[in-house]
PDB file of all heavy atoms in Angstrom:
ATOM      1  N   SER A 421      39.740  78.230  11.297  1.00 94.00           N
ATOM      2  CA  SER A 421      40.359  78.370  12.600  1.00 94.00           C
ATOM      3  C   SER A 421      39.410  79.174  13.367  1.00 94.00           C
ATOM      4  O   SER A 421      38.559  79.967  12.932  1.00 94.00           O
ATOM      5  CB  SER A 421      41.737  78.911  12.596  1.00 94.00           C
ATOM      6  OG  SER A 421      41.784  80.200  12.261  1.00 94.00           O
ATOM      7  N   ASN A 422      39.667  79.289  14.783  1.00 94.00           N
ATOM      8  CA  ASN A 422      38.806  80.067  15.610  1.00 94.00           C
ATOM      9  C   ASN A 422      39.086  81.611  15.289  1.00 94.00           C
ATOM     10  O   ASN A 422      38.209  82.501  15.649  1.00 94.00           O
ATOM     11  CB  ASN A 422      39.209  79.866  17.069  1.00 94.00           C
ATOM     12  CG  ASN A 422      38.651  78.477  17.502  1.00 94.00           C
ATOM     13  OD1 ASN A 422      37.697  77.996  16.805  1.00 94.00           O
ATOM     14  ND2 ASN A 422      39.178  77.854  18.530  1.00 94.00           N
ATOM     15  N   SER A 423      40.219  81.957  14.743  1.00 92.00           N
ATOM     16  CA  SER A 423      40.464  83.252  14.384  1.00 92.00           C
ATOM     17  C   SER A 423      40.168  83.699  12.930  1.00 92.00           C
ATOM     18  O   SER A 423      40.632  84.780  12.557  1.00 92.00           O
ATOM     19  CB  SER A 423      41.911  83.610  14.716  1.00 92.00           C
ATOM     20  OG  SER A 423      42.833  82.748  13.983  1.00 92.00           O
ATOM     21  N   ALA A 424      39.449  82.824  12.250  1.00 93.00           N
ATOM     22  CA  ALA A 424      39.231  83.090  10.805  1.00 93.00           C
ATOM     23  C   ALA A 424      38.216  84.267  10.736  1.00 93.00           C
ATOM     24  O   ALA A 424      38.118  84.957   9.672  1.00 93.00           O
ATOM     25  CB  ALA A 424      38.603  81.789  10.125  1.00 93.00           C
ATOM     26  N   ASN A 425      37.352  84.517  11.728  1.00 93.00           N
ATOM     27  CA  ASN A 425      36.529  85.680  11.699  1.00 93.00           C
ATOM     28  C   ASN A 425      36.319  86.152  13.183  1.00 93.00           C
ATOM     29  O   ASN A 425      36.994  85.592  14.055  1.00 93.00           O
ATOM     30  CB  ASN A 425      35.157  85.307  11.092  1.00 93.00           C
ATOM     31  CG  ASN A 425      34.369  84.189  11.752  1.00 93.00           C
ATOM     32  OD1 ASN A 425      34.209  84.291  13.043  1.00 93.00           O
ATOM     33  ND2 ASN A 425      33.940  83.208  11.063  1.00 93.00           N
ATOM     34  N   ASN A 426      35.600  87.145  13.421  1.00 92.00           N
ATOM     35  CA  ASN A 426      35.522  87.700  14.833  1.00 92.00           C
ATOM     36  C   ASN A 426      34.436  87.087  15.675  1.00 92.00           C
ATOM     37  O   ASN A 426      34.157  87.534  16.785  1.00 92.00           O
ATOM     38  CB  ASN A 426      35.194  89.252  14.634  1.00 92.00           C
ATOM     39  CG  ASN A 426      33.923  89.547  13.945  1.00 92.00           C
ATOM     40  OD1 ASN A 426      33.435  88.670  13.068  1.00 92.00           O
ATOM     41  ND2 ASN A 426      33.360  90.586  14.160  1.00 92.00           N
ATOM     42  N   LEU A 427      33.848  85.917  15.295  1.00 94.00           N
ATOM     43  CA  LEU A 427      32.816  85.348  16.124  1.00 94.00           C
ATOM     44  C   LEU A 427      33.356  84.809  17.474  1.00 94.00           C
ATOM     45  O   LEU A 427      32.800  85.069  18.517  1.00 94.00           O
ATOM     46  CB  LEU A 427      32.194  84.205  15.331  1.00 94.00           C
ATOM     47  CG  LEU A 427      30.969  83.458  15.966  1.00 94.00           C
ATOM     48  CD1 LEU A 427      30.065  82.897  14.722  1.00 94.00           C
ATOM     49  CD2 LEU A 427      31.355  82.354  16.803  1.00 94.00           C
ATOM     50  N   TYR A 428      34.449  84.045  17.310  1.00 94.00           N
ATOM     51  CA  TYR A 428      34.955  83.342  18.592  1.00 94.00           C
ATOM     52  C   TYR A 428      35.435  84.428  19.452  1.00 94.00           C
ATOM     53  O   TYR A 428      35.227  84.295  20.752  1.00 94.00           O
ATOM     54  CB  TYR A 428      36.066  82.527  18.210  1.00 94.00           C
ATOM     55  CG  TYR A 428      36.578  81.601  19.417  1.00 94.00           C
ATOM     56  CD1 TYR A 428      35.832  80.527  19.868  1.00 94.00           C
ATOM     57  CD2 TYR A 428      37.756  82.044  20.034  1.00 94.00           C
ATOM     58  CE1 TYR A 428      36.375  79.830  21.046  1.00 94.00           C
ATOM     59  CE2 TYR A 428      38.305  81.344  21.043  1.00 94.00           C
ATOM     60  CZ  TYR A 428      37.546  80.180  21.580  1.00 94.00           C
ATOM     61  OH  TYR A 428      38.023  79.618  22.669  1.00 94.00           O
ATOM     62  N   ASP A 429      36.156  85.516  19.001  1.00 93.00           N
ATOM     63  CA  ASP A 429      36.629  86.463  19.927  1.00 93.00           C
ATOM     64  C   ASP A 429      35.462  87.268  20.694  1.00 93.00           C
ATOM     65  O   ASP A 429      35.573  87.587  21.893  1.00 93.00           O
ATOM     66  CB  ASP A 429      37.447  87.457  19.253  1.00 93.00           C
ATOM     67  CG  ASP A 429      38.721  86.927  18.750  1.00 93.00           C
ATOM     68  OD1 ASP A 429      39.267  85.942  19.358  1.00 93.00           O
ATOM     69  OD2 ASP A 429      39.361  87.461  17.751  1.00 93.00           O
ATOM     70  N   ALA A 430      34.239  87.429  19.958  1.00 93.00           N
ATOM     71  CA  ALA A 430      33.154  88.070  20.528  1.00 93.00           C
ATOM     72  C   ALA A 430      32.441  87.151  21.639  1.00 93.00           C
ATOM     73  O   ALA A 430      32.045  87.626  22.649  1.00 93.00           O
ATOM     74  CB  ALA A 430      32.077  88.402  19.505  1.00 93.00           C
ATOM     75  N   MET A 431      32.590  85.829  21.327  1.00 94.00           N
ATOM     76  CA  MET A 431      31.844  84.840  22.335  1.00 94.00           C
ATOM     77  C   MET A 431      32.607  84.719  23.567  1.00 94.00           C
ATOM     78  O   MET A 431      32.041  84.405  24.532  1.00 94.00           O
ATOM     79  CB  MET A 431      31.544  83.528  21.626  1.00 94.00           C
ATOM     80  CG  MET A 431      30.531  83.683  20.435  1.00 94.00           C
ATOM     81  SD  MET A 431      28.995  84.494  20.800  1.00 94.00           S
ATOM     82  CE  MET A 431      28.393  83.577  22.119  1.00 94.00           C
ATOM     83  N   VAL A 432      33.907  84.724  23.435  1.00 93.00           N
ATOM     84  CA  VAL A 432      34.832  84.706  24.744  1.00 93.00           C
ATOM     85  C   VAL A 432      34.903  86.025  25.327  1.00 93.00           C
ATOM     86  O   VAL A 432      35.547  86.078  26.475  1.00 93.00           O
ATOM     87  CB  VAL A 432      36.157  83.990  24.323  1.00 93.00           C
ATOM     88  CG1 VAL A 432      35.941  82.717  23.881  1.00 93.00           C
ATOM     89  CG2 VAL A 432      36.954  84.880  23.402  1.00 93.00           C
TER      90      VAL A 432
END
Side-chain angles (χ1 to χ4, degrees):
S421 68
N422 291 336
S423 59
N425 58 53
N426 57 338
L427 185 151
Y428 185 77
D429 291 338
M431 296 310 301
V432 298

